[in-house]
Amino acid sequence: MNSLDQIQAAVREGRYEMTFHATEEVAEDDLHLLDVESALLTGSLVSTQADPQCGPKYVVEGLAGDLATRAGVVARFQPGGTLVIITVYEIHS
C-alpha cells in the first residue's frame, strides 16, 4: 500500500485528527471538515517532505466537497498510525 492509499484509508476509517493550526486555517479559508476529507480522498500526493525527527510530511492536493474548489492538505502519521492534519489551504489558480 503506497502513502496515498494509507492516507485515504486513515480518512475512510476516521483515524485522523487535526491540529489547532489546521482548524484555524480551515475556518480562515471558509472550508469545512468535509472539504478536508474530500481533498484527501480525491487528491493526489504532490510531494513528500523528509523530517528525520517526526517522520515524513505528505502534501496532498484535491477537490473540496463542492468538487470545484481545490484544496491542499499537509499531514503526517503518528507512530500509532493516526494521520495528523497539520495544515489546510485553498489553492487559488
Side-chain angles (χ1 to χ4, degrees):
M1 184 179 288
N2 66 38
S3 299
L4 183 59
D5 290 339
Q6 292 174 349
I7 290 167
Q8 292 173 338
V11 172
R12 282 193 291 278
E13 296 165 9
R15 290 185 295 107
Y16 69 91
E17 57 188 49
M18 292 181 54
T19 63
F20 181 72
H21 174 74
T23 303
E24 286 182 319
E25 292 298 314
V26 165
E28 187 175 302
D29 286 347
D30 198 28
L31 297 170
H32 304 279
L33 180 59
L34 290 176
D35 295 320
V36 176
E37 292 176 347
S38 179
L40 290 169
L41 293 172
T42 64
S44 58
L45 183 63
V46 296
S47 70
T48 301
Q49 302 168 352
D51 184 335
Q53 292 182 331
C54 300
K57 290 190 293 189
Y58 304 101
V59 180
V60 177
E61 294 181 355
L63 297 175
D66 64 4
L67 300 179
T69 304
R70 294 182 60 224
V73 181
V74 179
R76 73 166 35 117
F77 282 100
Q78 290 181 330
T82 299
L83 182 70
V84 177
I85 297 169
I86 300 165
T87 194
V88 178
Y89 52 93
E90 184 176 349
I91 300 169
H92 301 280
S93 304

